[in-house]
């Protein structure tokens, strides 16, 4: 887990397939990264959380295929993610949300692209 001496990040996944590495300071909140009042927390592992805007689907935000596929790599029965998604580290006992190291964030991107690599291609 990142310490206060390390840089810490969050990985933002856009519905368009864009990935952005966000600086994640000690005062950052998922609400800030998602520009949302209410967020949904999805624990993926003991060290990884996906955050989404609770109102994205009701407000008609586009489906986020890349985030849904990343969710599927951790859960056998994922659901459709709408709008932006942000991946962070776990929460502390005081309620702060820890960031990821740069390597942890890049592993998520790699995990997304490796999932597509294993799809069989039609023969010509």
């Amino acid at each position: 887990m990142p310490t206060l001496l390390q840089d810490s990040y969050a990985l933002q996944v856009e519905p368009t397939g864009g990935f952005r590495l966000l600086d994640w300071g000690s005062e950052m909140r998922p609400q800030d990264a998602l520009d949302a009042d209410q967020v949904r927390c999805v624990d993926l592992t003991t060290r990884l959380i996906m955050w989404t805007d609770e109102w994205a689907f009701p407000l008609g935000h586009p489906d986020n295929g890349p985030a849904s596929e990343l969710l599927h790599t951790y859960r056998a029965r994922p659901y459709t993610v709408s709008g932006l998604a942000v991946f962070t580290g776990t929460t502390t006992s005081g309620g702060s949300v820890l960031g990821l190291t740069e390597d942890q964030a890049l592993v998520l991107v790699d995990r997304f692209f490796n999932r597509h690599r294993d799809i069989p291609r039609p023969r010509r």
Side-chain angles (χ1 to χ4, degrees), residues 16-39:
T16 59
F19 292 87
R20 286 184 56 204
L21 201 56
L22 306 175
D23 285 324
W24 196 261
S26 61
E27 299 299 316
M28 286 293 293
R29 301 175 318 140
Q31 293 89 331
D32 301 328
L34 294 168
D35 193 24
D37 293 327
Q38 295 182 23
V39 295

Side-chain angles (χ1 to χ4, degrees), residues 18-102:
F19 292 87
R20 286 184 56 204
L21 201 56
L22 306 175
D23 285 324
W24 196 261
S26 61
E27 299 299 316
M28 286 293 293
R29 301 175 318 140
Q31 293 89 331
D32 301 328
L34 294 168
D35 193 24
D37 293 327
Q38 295 182 23
V39 295
R40 175 182 292 182
C41 166
V42 181
D43 289 320
L44 302 176
T45 70
T46 58
R47 295 184 180 183
L48 181 64
I49 298 173
M50 180 182 76
W51 302 88
T52 60
D53 180 350
E54 187 72 35
W55 290 99
F57 178 75
L59 291 175
H61 293 201
D63 288 348
N64 189 328
S68 296
E69 289 186 35
L70 271 173
L71 177 60
H72 185 62
T73 66
Y74 291 95
R75 292 191 166 191
R77 302 188 82 173
Y79 57 87
T80 301
V81 177
S82 296
L84 291 175
V86 172
F87 293 81
T88 67
T90 191
T91 57
T92 65
S93 59
S96 297
V97 178
L98 298 175
L100 303 169
T101 65
E102 186 175 4

